[in-house]
Amino acid sequence: MRFTEIQYGSPEYRMECELRHAVLRVPLGMNLYDEDLSAESHQRHFGLFLTDETLAACAIAATFSSDEMKIRQMAVRPDFQGLGYGRMLMTMLQDRLAESGIRRLSCHARTHVAGFYESLGFQKSGDEFTEVGIPHVKMERFLERAKEYR
């Protein structure tokens, strides 16, 4: 298992786009590649790769301020869903962001996966709303700085 930050425009980024397209857009009858992805060059991309370099899960973190980011486009390959890869990715992502000084995370979670985010320490903040044609809820959590051991 390899957790890594993915560089925009790299072959790993293309794998990330393919996964996001298949999991998050095709089921809605949408095409990720119809969207302007240029703003993603300023966002942080993360992936969880299996030993054979298969991308199991991915997510993007977009900066809101010096200590706040929004998680977006989190996706797990359908054949790996329910096996803990999403939890592993998000746990490692949160640790990495906390180490870099991020103290607050938010996301717009599809309502049917809000429980997943709650299990990761996120809390609902606000009413349900519609995004990309389906119900979502805003969720937030605070991160703690990693403890230093001496």
Side-chain angles (χ1 to χ4, degrees):
M1 203 68 55
R2 178 173 66 94
F3 170 76
T4 190
E5 190 156 349
I6 296 172
Q7 297 304 309
Y8 177 81
S10 70
E12 291 174 329
Y13 174 75
R14 286 190 289 282
M15 292 172 71
E16 172 197 332
C17 287
E18 289 172 19
L19 178 58
R20 291 166 38 211
H21 173 71
V23 172
L24 302 174
R25 292 298 184 254
V26 169
L28 301 177
M30 301 172 78
N31 187 335
L32 178 73
Y33 302 102
D34 289 343
E35 300 173 26
D36 179 5
L37 303 178
S38 62
E40 292 186 359
S41 66
H42 304 291
Q43 299 171 356
R44 295 178 70 180
H45 302 257
F46 298 92
L48 185 64
F49 290 84
L50 304 181
T51 54
D52 67 355
E53 293 304 303
T54 298
L55 180 60
C58 64
I60 302 171
T63 302
F64 270 170
S65 69
S66 62
D67 67 350
E68 183 177 357
M69 296 189 94
K70 177 183 177 183
I71 302 301
R72 52 184 299 278
Q73 299 281 305
M74 193 277 188
V76 177
R77 275 180 54 133
D79 49 335
F80 295 141
Q81 291 177 4
L83 301 176
Y85 293 115
R87 176 173 307 287
M88 192 179 306
L89 170 79
M90 289 298 294
T91 299
M92 292 176 180
L93 180 154
Q94 289 176 90
D95 289 347
R96 176 78 56 90
L97 294 179
E99 288 170 4
S100 66
I102 300 303
R103 297 290 158 254
R104 184 181 175 131
L105 288 180
S106 65
C107 71
H108 291 177
R110 295 177 181 195
T111 55
H112 72 277
V113 295
F116 167 75
Y117 288 99
E118 287 174 327
S119 75
L120 293 168
F122 284 79
Q123 296 180 344
K124 293 177 183 174
S125 62
D127 296 328
E128 191 175 293
F129 59 94
T130 300
E131 191 170 83
V132 293
I134 56 175
H136 282 70
V137 64
K138 183 176 181 182
M139 302 190 80
E140 300 176 310
R141 75 154 295 166
F142 291 93
L143 300 177
E144 295 182 20
R145 187 177 306 269
K147 295 178 181 159
E148 292 183 27
Y149 297 97
R150 298 175 192 208

